[in-house]
């Protein structure tokens, strides 16, 4: 479940032209299950309508210290209830006020009246952004633990372009989610594999499969957000999150070699990759030519990476496999769980619509070695990743032996 679900987020909006994008931030926060309290400054009200935010958020917008329906002290009410406060856009004035501890309006008063984590998404013209005073204010706020997202470089108001453009709503929501995420994998090393391997037939052709690497990338991203040190061994490195160390591979043999090396230090291994079971026995180093006739491609088996990991599993290591099935899901998955000596198998029925390969959504059933079964109905791959890692965290420490994070090197 998203770390935003059921949490109270105060959404502060100031008078920057990017205030219109705050409406989308509001919509997305509500979409992730957050209870959103919009707090708009007088400047914001010149840019966007109070009604827009009252309609999109979970309660009416707070716009003043003096005429608020929620009571005589709206800033302490909002500040105390908040699990997080995000300000987007954060103008140079807001940044300066927050650094100085000045409370000139309802938003700055709310920021002083909260103990919740604060996220700022600065937005201003490049000249303002580059002022040493602005940079110093932000550096001090960052030192105090304020999370700062962006700004990006790009088109600004008035036809200008450069650094100072507010980050996109998606990134701002991710930053809020990050400050609310419990770092329950901090100190752990997580190895994830993703994507389908490609086994060469000749210099230009390969035997492959439909795996997009999206589910593995989501697991890697979620594990990093929860504080883990993440290595992603993948055939789809362009999809890898920036928070993971990436080892790019192409074939099953390359993946096996990389995994063997990386798994030695991993507390958790999640094999989400679709590894080819067979490969051409004698790939041609040059392109096979049509006029030489139809080639007979002889296949040979590849090594089963996960079985090898299961056979050499270190004490305390949590091993997770995937099973993409089209029939007899449960019995096939359970057979793999046992034969590969896994702690968890994540099964999905890829014959169903919107499930598995290449989709942005997934429906999974997890089976554990100690007999638990957990079904996650059709959801985003990120949400499925959360469920997998919740299961992993629940097993850490209970799988025999070595405590988590107790490494030899
Ligand atoms: N796997 C692996 N090495 C292989 C084949 C599969 O590590 N050569 C891993 C996959 O990453 C996955 C799990 O084993 O986590 C199950 O893969 P799957 O393709 O569903 O099963 P297979 O064991 O290959 O059996 P089958 O294809 O007959 O269903």
């Amino acid at each position: 479940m998203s770390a935003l679900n059921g949490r109270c987020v105060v959404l502060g909006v100031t008078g920057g032209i990017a205030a219109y994008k705050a409406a989308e931030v509001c919509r997305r926060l509500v979409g992730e299950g957050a209870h959103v309290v919009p707090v708009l400054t007088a400047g914001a009200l010149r840019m966007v309508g109070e009604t827009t935010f009252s309609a999109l958020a979970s309660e009416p917008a707070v716009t003043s210290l003096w005429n608020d329906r929620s009571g005589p002290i709206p800033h302490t009410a909002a500040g105390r209830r908040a699990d997080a406060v995000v300000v987007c856009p954060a103008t140079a004035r807001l940044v300066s006020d927050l650094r100085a501890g000045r409370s000139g309006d309802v938003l700055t008063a709310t920021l002083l009246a909260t103990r919740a984590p604060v996220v700022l998404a600065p937005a201003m013209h490049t000249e303002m952004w580059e002022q040493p005073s602005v940079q110093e204010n932000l550096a001090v706020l960052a030192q105090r633990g304020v999370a700062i997202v962006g700004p990006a470089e790009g088109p600004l108001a008035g036809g200008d372009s450069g650094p100072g453009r507010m980050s996109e709503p998606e990134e701002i929501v991710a930053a809020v989610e990050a400050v609310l995420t419990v770092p329950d994998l901090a100190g752990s090393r997580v190895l994830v594999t993703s994507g389908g391997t490609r086994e060469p037939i000749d210099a230009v052709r390969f035997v492959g499969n439909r795996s997009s690497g999206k589910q593995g990338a989501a697991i890697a991203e979620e594990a990093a957000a929860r504080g883990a040190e993440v290595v992603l061994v993948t055939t789809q490195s362009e999809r890898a999150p920036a928070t993971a160390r990436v080892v790019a591979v192409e074939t099953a043999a390359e993946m096996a070699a990389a995994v063997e090396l990386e798994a030695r230090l991993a507390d958790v291994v999640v094999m989400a990759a679709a590894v080819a079971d067979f490969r051409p026995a004698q790939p041609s180093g040059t392109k096979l030519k049509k006029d030489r006739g139809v080639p007979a491609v002889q296949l040979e088996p590849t090594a089963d990476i996960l079985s090898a990991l299961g056979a050499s599993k270190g004490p305390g290591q949590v091993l997770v496999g995937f099973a993409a099935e089209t029939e007899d899901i449960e019995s096939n998955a359970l057979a793999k769980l046992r034969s590969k000596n896994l702690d968890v198998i994540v099964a999905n029925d890829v014959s169903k619509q919107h499930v598995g390969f290449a989709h942005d959504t997934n429906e999974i059933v997890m089976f554990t070695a100690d007999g638990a079964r957990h079904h996650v109905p059709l959801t985003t791959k990120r949400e499925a990743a959360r469920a997998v890692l919740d299961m992993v965290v629940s097993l850490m420490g209970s799988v025999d032996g070595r405590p988590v994070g107790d490494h030899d090197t």
Side-chain angles (χ1 to χ4, degrees):
M1 199 173 287
S2 164
L4 288 160
N5 193 38
R7 311 304 290 278
C8 179
V9 178
V10 168
L11 171 65
V13 187
T14 65
I17 191 72
Y20 77 94
K21 286 202 221 165
E24 175 64 11
V25 172
C26 184
R27 197 188 63 76
R28 283 173 182 254
L29 289 169
V30 170
E32 294 280 342
H35 181 96
V36 179
V37 183
V39 177
L40 275 62
T41 65
L45 290 171
R46 287 179 171 270
M47 298 289 180
V48 288
E50 176 183 348
T51 318
T52 309
F53 285 85
S54 294
L56 288 172
S58 314
E59 48 184 87
V62 180
T63 57
S64 161
L65 277 167
W66 310 114
N67 60 359
D68 189 74
R69 287 153 289 204
S70 63
I73 37 175
H75 58 299
T76 52
R80 282 193 192 135
R81 271 194 302 152
D83 293 307
V85 181
V86 54
V87 184
C88 63
T91 54
R93 179 192 65 80
L94 185 283
V95 168
S96 159
D97 282 353
L98 185 58
R99 190 239 168 129
R102 205 176 295 119
S103 65
D105 59 20
V106 67
L107 179 56
T108 45
T110 303
L111 283 161
L112 287 190
T114 193
R115 295 205 170 108
V118 173
V119 177
L120 299 183
M124 59 198 80
H125 281 277
T126 305
E127 295 84 344
M128 298 169 78
W129 170 249
E130 288 175 350
Q131 279 299 328
S133 54
V134 172
Q135 289 299 316
E136 190 193 299
N137 286 340
L138 281 161
V140 169
L141 289 172
Q143 234 169 38
R144 289 183 197 153
V146 172
I148 294 163
V149 48
E153 205 171 321
L156 301 164
D160 292 353
S161 184
R165 180 181 164 82
M166 190 171 86
S167 292
E168 292 308 312
E170 193 183 350
E171 289 167 66
I172 297 171
V173 171
V176 181
E177 194 179 356
V179 299
L180 289 171
T181 299
V182 181
D184 53 6
L185 283 169
S188 307
R189 292 179 172 136
V190 176
L191 167 61
V192 183
T193 66
S194 70
T197 62
R198 294 173 163 193
E199 310 301 329
I201 296 172
D202 66 11
V204 296
R205 303 178 179 94
F206 60 83
V207 177
N209 61 64
R210 294 181 192 280
S211 171
S212 62
K214 287 181 184 172
Q215 185 61 77
I219 292 170
E221 193 166 17
E222 175 67 13
R226 289 161 79 149
E229 192 185 309
V230 180
V231 183
L232 181 63
V233 176
T234 182
T235 60
Q236 300 281 342
S237 49
E238 67 284 355
R239 251 197 196 113
T243 43
R245 176 162 66 81
V246 178
V247 180
V249 295
E250 202 148 312
T251 63
E254 286 169 15
M255 184 169 279
V259 167
E260 194 200 335
L261 198 71
E262 300 289 347
R264 287 181 202 159
L265 291 177
D267 300 290
V268 179
V269 182
V270 183
M271 279 291 300
V275 187
D277 290 323
F278 314 104
R279 66 177 170 218
Q282 280 162 339
S284 164
T286 54
K287 187 182 172 197
L288 295 172
K289 299 301 286 177
K290 203 163 42 184
D291 54 13
R292 303 246 171 93
V294 179
V297 179
Q298 180 70 38
L299 298 175
E300 65 180 14
T302 58
D304 190 314
I305 305 171
L306 192 53
S307 291
L309 289 176
S312 65
K313 186 153 72 107
Q317 191 175 57
V318 178
L319 201 51
V320 182
F322 270 69
E325 307 291 349
T326 52
E327 56 192 357
D328 302 329
I329 316 296
E330 180 155 350
S331 57
N332 280 329
L334 286 172
K336 286 174 193 172
L337 177 80
R338 289 190 203 102
S339 69
K340 301 193 187 203
N341 190 28
L342 309 178
D343 301 295
V344 186
I345 187 112
V346 183
N348 51 12
D349 180 350
V350 290
S351 67
K352 281 191 182 173
Q353 268 207 333
H354 308 298
V355 173
F357 293 151
H359 296 295
D360 291 322
T361 48
N362 212 350
E363 177 184 348
I364 57 172
V365 191
M366 286 179 277
F367 302 93
T368 68
D370 54 14
R373 180 186 194 279
H374 181 61
H375 174 230
V376 181
L378 192 66
T379 185
T380 60
K381 286 195 166 169
R382 183 64 185 260
E383 205 60 59
R386 282 188 192 108
V388 171
L389 292 175
D390 284 348
M391 180 65 86
V392 165
V393 168
S394 77
L395 294 174
M396 285 173 98
S398 70
V399 285
D400 45 63
R402 187 177 64 155
V404 173
D406 176 16
H407 302 286
D408 301 330
T409 54

